[in-house]
Amino acid sequence: MPHVVDSDSIRESVFLIQNLVFASRPLCERIVQGAVPTRRVEITNENYFPWLHSTLSRLLLGVAIKTRVTMDILDAERRWLKKEDEADIEDVLELSKGVSRSYAIGRSTPDSGTINIREACNKLIHANRVLLVNEPLIERDPDLDQRSDPHHECVPVFWGGVLRLEGEKASSEWIVDLNVSEFCFALVDLVDRIDDLYDWPRVYKALGY
């Protein structure tokens, strides 16, 4: 009996993640202007980035696990139907690869290759380090000698929507720069197609639910 997957919960998490992506720059701009006070909490760089990191980590890990489980369930049903000589269904792994080609989900190092939805989910699940890739709010003068600028390390930043994932596989280190927004768009596209293509009551019945 497999897990029961709620595709709407994936969409809900993606909605929240996308809001974090596109809110970072305007929020950080307001922080630079003098913080963003509320009645009980003052949002500053010192607490914003840790909150952002922990919230992103929780939400992305959740959607990665749910998406992998969904794909594994549908792949298992396809293999079961093939074994029973029944009508075949769409190969969800090939479907995922096809959807991924429309989005710049991320790139891996050292091979500098693009990654698909399933690979992004795997990297999120197995990453040993998850780093925010921040960008400067203001453009620095490349000709400015940093040694003469006492504030060169204090340039205000915002999160630009990329996460650097680092880990190991078979004693080899890997790095993936994940474009979170593109990953989220691809996820919604995939989940919508899955809901259109697959008969979930039939899937669960075939797998003994």
Side-chain angles (χ1 to χ4, degrees):
M1 183 181 299
H3 290 289
V4 177
V5 178
D6 176 13
S7 56
D8 281 339
S9 70
I10 296 177
R11 293 187 184 93
E12 179 184 1
S13 293
V14 164
F15 170 77
L16 296 174
I17 294 166
Q18 289 283 44
N19 274 271
L20 293 173
V21 173
F22 292 106
S24 186
R25 179 163 195 151
L27 181 57
C28 288
E29 286 174 343
R30 293 196 63 187
I31 290 173
V32 170
Q33 293 167 5
V36 185
T38 66
R39 294 188 64 181
R40 295 180 179 272
V41 179
E42 182 177 325
I43 302 175
T44 65
N45 280 334
E46 286 70 27
N47 54 35
Y48 167 68
F49 287 104
W51 286 342
L52 175 63
H53 186 280
S54 62
T55 305
L56 277 170
S57 180
R58 171 174 54 83
L59 291 172
L60 282 167
L61 186 58
V63 296
I65 292 171
K66 290 177 183 178
T67 303
R68 270 298 314 274
V69 168
T70 299
M71 296 174 72
D72 289 347
I73 289 172
L74 294 174
D75 187 54
E77 194 221 8
R78 186 182 68 84
R79 287 185 281 107
W80 183 87
L81 289 173
K82 190 173 182 179
K83 179 181 177 182
E84 297 296 317
D85 293 325
E86 295 191 25
D88 203 357
I89 62 172
E90 182 84 22
D91 185 338
V92 70
L93 304 183
E94 291 303 315
L95 175 64
S96 169
K97 291 178 182 177
V99 170
S100 299
R101 293 189 192 101
S102 299
Y103 302 91
I105 295 173
R107 301 192 70 84
S108 63
T109 302
D111 59 351
S112 298
T114 58
I115 61 172
N116 59 43
I117 295 170
R118 185 179 180 86
E119 290 168 337
C121 291
N122 288 341
K123 297 306 184 187
L124 282 164
I125 293 168
H126 296 292
N128 295 329
R129 298 186 71 199
V130 180
L131 307 172
L132 299 171
V133 178
N134 294 328
E135 299 180 14
L137 275 171
I138 56 175
E139 293 295 327
R140 286 188 51 81
D141 184 349
D143 297 325
L144 182 65
D145 185 351
Q146 291 189 352
R147 291 171 297 180
S148 64
D149 178 7
H151 303 294
H152 73 271
E153 294 182 352
C154 302
V155 174
V157 297
F158 71 100
W159 177 52
V162 172
L163 281 183
R164 172 154 291 187
L165 310 174
E166 300 179 1
E168 283 187 23
K169 183 177 181 180
S171 300
S172 297
E173 294 183 354
W174 54 260
I175 297 174
V176 164
D177 286 331
L178 180 70
N179 185 324
V180 174
S181 181
E182 288 286 293
F183 174 61
C184 287
F185 283 129
L187 273 183
V188 172
D189 193 348
L190 177 63
V191 170
D192 287 346
R193 296 191 195 205
I194 285 174
D195 283 351
D196 288 340
L197 287 170
Y198 296 94
D199 179 356
W200 279 106
R202 175 191 174 192
V203 170
Y204 287 127
K205 183 177 180 180
L207 297 176
Y209 186 77

